[in-house]
Amino acid sequence: MIDLKEVSFAYEDHEKIIDTVNLDVKAGEFIVLCGKSGCGKSTLLRILNGLIPELYPGDLLGEGTVLGHDFSTKEFNEYVRGIGVVFQNPKTQFFTSDVYSELAFAMENYGVPRKDMLERIEKITSLFSLEEFLERSMFHLSGGQKQLIAFASASMLDHQLFLLDEPSSNLDEATIEQLKGYLEVLKKQGMTIIVSEHRLHYLTELADRYLVMEQGKIIQSYTKSEMLAKSAASLKKMGLRSLKSTELEVVDIQSDEFSELTVAFENVDFHYRKQPSVLNVPALTVNSNYITGIIGHNGAGKSTFSKLFSGLLKPTTGTITLNQKQMTAKELIKESFVVMQDVNLQLFFETVEKEITLNAKNTKAFNHIVRMLNLEPLLDRHPQTLSGGEKQRVAIASALLSGKKLIIFDEPTSGLDLVHMEEVSKTIRWLQQENVLVLVITHDKEFLSQTCQRVLHFDCGQIIEDYFIAPTIKE
């Protein structure tokens, strides 16, 4: 199925990202590719899916085959015909403006007969429970919904090999279970699957082998039983996340302490023009005494809430106050910074150092923040050459140096390994000590349990739970 020998790759004018990799994957195997952010997992997948050297130029050495084709073939269309790909950022693989067209796109390109196309769309739509999305615009989907559409689109052709790069990064628990179920179906059908992941807990029942990468090399190969036998300390030493799902410990906290910053929502409602309400918050107060986590399924209203909180949207009705002063949307924008779920939308400059310093006001903290986020080796790199996790850390550094007092992190651990997840957690706790009001939107319970003290649970545009948790802080 896959046979690579002594494969190395370096992007133009950069050091090796992949260093003498040997890879042998049998048909029907389920491989989990893991390792620290920036270790080369995404680049290896780009070699396997043909984007290197087709789209990403550089020095590619070595030999091997994928599905019987030379992995460096020039016959790109034929090479990728049998490969289904899901990228870490699903928006990069969309070509149309509505869901139905997106599902049909790949089949149209390969000339699949209309009757077969309609039958395939109906089958995959049912399998993924996507009926409600078929007429939706791609621009009106949440990040998790886009990821699900990307996976469904990648399944439209009769592929033999599936390559998935951090497929769970933007998904809630229920959708991860859907993803897991479909991966199980593919495995039972005999498909070969390689998943690059940091969140490992949902894959333990599916994996046949775990390949651990470090500095562009595959340094270890473990069977499922060998991996499951490892202690939590051993996994942490390798920089890997837990193989078990995290449970939150709810606690009872009563506090009337003075807060440096307090934001209050009163009778806030928001709806798009001539549409039903998508968010309704009758009364809510959040303050800088606690780091507040925002949870809920994809499309529950979390991102809409964050946009209202930061002034990117105006409430249809109701008021938002900061320290009892009623705020306009423009005033909220001046006071807030949002680290977006898709960090590519806020990376503009040619070096990481320029990216994080150009609009910085808290310049005295530069060295401290760069060290905390382990950005020293990346300061001269172009942001778009970084891995997804590295880009996330750059965007977080921009937020910390901005000097803003209201900071919202939207899925800040997307693409982050254990080490960098813990670094981001520590950094956010440092922010709280600096009297910054922090909200964290996340599906990552492991991160939530280490970082937040309060949790707001959204569903159908409303807060259905508001509780405190005991953080499992790891210094």
Side-chain angles (χ1 to χ4, degrees), residues 136 141-145 172 278 296-302 443 459-461:
R136 295 269 294 274
L141 301 177
S142 70
Q145 290 165 347
D172 60 41
V278 295
H297 63 75
N298 297 314
K302 306 184 301 297
H443 296 307
D459 188 33
C460 298

Side-chain angles (χ1 to χ4, degrees), residues 33-63:
L33 199 60
C34 48
K36 297 177 182 179
S37 297
C39 68
K41 301 187 301 297
S42 294
T43 301
L44 180 57
L45 290 185
R46 286 173 183 169
I47 291 173
L48 294 175
N49 66 32
L51 292 181
I52 291 174
E54 177 73 14
L55 185 60
Y56 295 93
D59 297 321
L60 178 61
L61 303 174
E63 59 184 24

